[in-house]
Amino acid sequence: MEAKPVSRYTTAARINHWVTAVSLVLLALSGLALFHPSLYFLTALFGGGQMTRIIHPWIGVVLAISFLGLFIRFFALNFWKPEDTVWMKNIGKVINAKDEELPELGKYNAGQKLVFWGQSLLIVVLFGSGIVLWDSYFASYTTIDQKRLAAVAHALCAIAAILIWIVHVYAAIWVKGTLRAMMRGNVSAAWAKHHHPGWYREVTGGK
């Protein structure tokens, strides 16, 4: 008899996640449209260049608020632990599914924690630099030099955030059963035992 699925995310957490994910994708598309003339065609997705410029910072506000919700929910689970360092040193074994001898993991592995903290830092910088560039409301509060610095920081952090997002999505698809957690809210017992045995024992009372 197959063991019962294990609850991993509440409905509220999943909604929070998908609002953040959709906001990030929309920001990436609208930001790329404004980044270089060769990508200007992407403004058609948002009603043209003027509307893209108006909408982009407001989507950023949505992302910041939504990600803050995720941060509050999950930051305590993403503190670095000694087993995370061991996991990183043996990433080859993890990739080749030979990680039986590695320390038991909690709810998140080292890779997931790096994604969490990396995006947390980048979103803070993106939001701060975005405020500096939002001339409709804040033009009088910043200098030209500050805007130039903010534009460079905003672009570099946006590229980094997009790359981390790609890795995050690829890993979720590559590790079969992971997407189920954010679609249904639960995972199979076998998935939990294999990928996060420490967390599985915790939520099942050590069974």
Side-chain angles (χ1 to χ4, degrees):
M1 182 177 178
E2 186 179 353
K4 292 176 59 178
V6 183
S7 177
R8 188 160 173 84
Y9 295 113
T10 64
T11 299
R14 283 181 283 140
I15 292 173
N16 194 171
H17 170 270
W18 287 115
V19 169
T20 302
V22 171
S23 298
L24 185 58
V25 171
L26 293 176
L27 275 173
L29 292 173
S30 57
L32 288 170
L34 299 170
F35 179 71
H36 195 274
S38 65
L39 299 172
Y40 186 77
F41 69 92
L42 291 172
T43 60
L45 298 172
F46 303 92
Q50 186 173 355
M51 283 302 299
T52 302
R53 191 169 184 83
I54 293 171
I55 291 172
H56 180 77
W58 284 110
I59 301 174
V61 173
V62 174
L63 173 70
I65 295 172
S66 182
F67 191 84
L68 177 61
L70 286 181
F71 186 87
I72 292 171
R73 289 177 187 278
F74 301 124
F75 82 95
L77 296 168
N78 281 277
F79 289 133
W80 198 264
K81 297 181 178 180
E83 55 264 33
D84 295 317
T85 301
V86 176
W87 190 90
M88 287 297 297
K89 289 180 178 179
N90 291 274
I91 191 66
K93 291 182 179 179
V94 175
I95 293 174
N96 292 297
K98 297 179 180 179
D99 52 351
E100 295 83 1
E101 298 179 2
L102 297 184
E104 288 191 347
L105 296 178
K107 190 167 186 176
Y108 299 113
N109 61 42
Q112 292 169 311
K113 291 180 179 181
L114 289 174
V115 167
F116 178 84
W117 291 112
Q119 292 293 56
S120 297
L121 176 61
L122 290 170
I123 288 174
V124 168
V125 178
L126 284 167
F127 185 74
S129 58
I131 291 294
V132 175
L133 296 170
W134 201 354
D135 284 347
S136 297
Y137 297 98
F138 306 104
S140 62
Y141 298 98
T142 56
T143 66
I144 295 298
D145 287 339
Q146 288 172 336
K147 294 182 195 298
R148 289 171 177 166
L149 180 61
V152 173
H154 201 77
L156 292 176
C157 287
I159 293 171
I162 291 171
L163 292 176
I164 291 177
W165 176 82
I166 291 172
V167 171
H168 177 60
V169 172
Y170 178 79
I173 295 172
W174 180 60
V175 181
K176 294 181 179 179
T178 300
L179 283 176
R180 171 177 170 173
M182 271 302 163
M183 298 299 292
R184 304 182 191 177
N186 59 56
V187 292
S188 68
W191 184 96
K193 288 178 183 177
H194 178 74
H195 295 291
H196 301 274
W199 170 72
Y200 177 75
R201 287 194 300 102
E202 180 182 336
V203 297
T204 59
K207 296 180 181 179

